[in-house]
Amino acid sequence: MSAWYEESFGEDYLRVYHYRDEQGAAHEVHEMISWLRLDPGAKVLDLCCGMGRHSLSLAEKGYDVTGMDLSEVLLDEAKKEPGANRIRWVQGDMRELPFADGEFDAVVNLFTSFGYFEQDDEHVRVLQEIRRVLRPEGRFIIDFMNPPYVESHLKPYTEREDGGLKIEERRKIEDGFVKKHITILPEQAENGQRREYDERVKLYTLDDFTTLLAEAKLEVDEVRGSYDEKHYEKDSPRMIFVGKRF
């Protein structure tokens, strides 16, 4: 049986998450650049790049960008975008990066593209791989959900219509994971079949995540609460870890 992340990031993912826009990515990259303090032309890995919004914006700023994702469907979408030929697109597993030691000046992992696996040691392995492909003193950004915010803002059920489809999303916190069950229903039965997907992300606290980073020998310089907040607070929407390899 395939893991959920091998099933969920396909054609239907494009429908469920199509609202994520390039303008937002450009704003986020503008902020990230000031945090990373990179030289012009620096080599940046966008790890779990999805449809490539941030990879494309980073390339527009003059960086040498590699976008990597497990999903060939999402990478194929990324390659269709204007300017995609400036980026090296790579398909692969984040636990075993197909890159040389010290290849990158920076690695970014954005919008909770982390915590997908069952065991903590698998997540540590991801962080160790990030460290391995960073040059000494290379910089990283890992952008993760903030558990207290998730717990207070979780919507157990939402639904919407999009392009002749009804999309239902059911969410819960269970066994230390945030779980989402997505059901996609065609408005007319003859237009297609009911499809269902599960997503599951480990709900790491700030202290838990900091411990994982230390175990992987990644040093945290600061934690931001969003792309518009300087410092993390308990009620911040995000935990954005900014730091370097040591």
Side-chain angles (χ1 to χ4, degrees), residues 153-171:
H153 289 76
L154 188 75
K155 295 180 179 179
Y157 177 80
T158 57
E159 66 175 60
R160 56 191 164 92
E161 294 184 2
D162 191 319
L165 298 172
K166 181 181 178 182
I167 300 171
E168 300 178 342
E169 296 176 281
R170 293 173 172 84
R171 306 170 184 86

Side-chain angles (χ1 to χ4, degrees), residues 123-141:
H123 298 128
V124 171
R125 177 61 179 163
V126 174
L127 297 174
Q128 289 171 334
E129 281 291 273
I130 289 174
R131 183 187 187 277
R132 180 183 65 78
V133 302
L134 280 172
R135 63 167 174 77
E137 300 294 310
R139 307 279 293 167
F140 71 86
I141 290 175

Side-chain angles (χ1 to χ4, degrees), residues 1 7 25 29 50 61 94 117 128 130 169 180 238-240:
M1 185 175 178
E7 300 289 340
V29 164
K61 300 293 186 182
M94 65 197 304
F117 310 115
Q128 289 171 334
I130 289 174
E169 296 176 281
K180 180 191 288 188
R238 316 289 304 167
M239 298 190 301
I240 306 175

Side-chain angles (χ1 to χ4, degrees), residues 12 15 160-168 182-197:
D12 281 328
R15 298 181 178 91
R160 56 191 164 92
E161 294 184 2
D162 191 319
L165 298 172
K166 181 181 178 182
I167 300 171
E168 300 178 342
I182 301 168
T183 304
I184 299 177
L185 299 159
E187 291 181 347
Q188 298 179 349
E190 62 269 20
N191 290 342
Q193 298 297 315
R194 174 191 184 105
R195 283 105 67 190
E196 300 189 45
Y197 301 93

Side-chain angles (χ1 to χ4, degrees), residues 146-152 231-238:
N146 182 28
Y149 185 89
V150 172
E151 290 164 1
S152 63
H231 299 297
Y232 167 85
E233 303 288 348
K234 185 177 179 180
D235 60 351
S236 295
R238 316 289 304 167

